[in-house]
Amino acid sequence: MSVWSAVLLAACICVALKAFGYLIPARVMEAPRPARISDLLTVALLAALVAVQTLGSGQEIVVDARVPAVLVAAGLLWLRQSFLVVVIAAALVAAVLRMLGWAA
């Protein structure tokens, strides 16, 4: 199977799933349990994306300046700082650590 065949198949599956979503009655998705699962699934997918982008480099796990930067960002978010402050502080931490030679 060529790459373009796989891309076309994936696109068709995505369109079919989206069309199937419109067939589900709204009352089913507005019930407390599906709504809660949907909310938790969103958070879990975002957490997985952050973990993969922070620790992944190709097919290996890498601990470099991104890890302390994410930890600083998480701490500042926990302290309810503004998003701009969080992003700038995390970027500064990563930049300083890379300047000091702690980069992969």
Side-chain angles (χ1 to χ4, degrees), residues 7-94:
V7 169
L8 186 59
L9 178 64
C12 289
I13 290 171
C14 287
V15 169
L17 283 172
K18 186 163 182 78
F20 180 71
Y22 287 117
L23 298 175
I24 298 173
R27 62 180 165 76
V28 172
M29 293 308 293
E30 291 172 355
R33 190 170 190 175
R36 179 80 173 141
I37 290 171
S38 175
D39 290 343
L40 292 175
L41 187 62
T42 304
V43 172
L45 288 173
L46 182 60
L49 177 65
V50 169
V52 167
Q53 292 297 316
T54 301
L55 298 173
S57 178
Q59 293 294 322
E60 57 188 24
I61 295 176
V62 177
V63 177
D64 60 3
R66 294 176 290 183
V67 175
V70 169
L71 292 175
V72 166
L76 289 173
L77 285 172
W78 185 67
L79 294 173
R80 301 197 184 271
Q81 294 297 315
S82 71
F83 187 71
L84 186 60
V85 171
V86 170
V87 171
I88 290 172
L92 285 174
V93 167

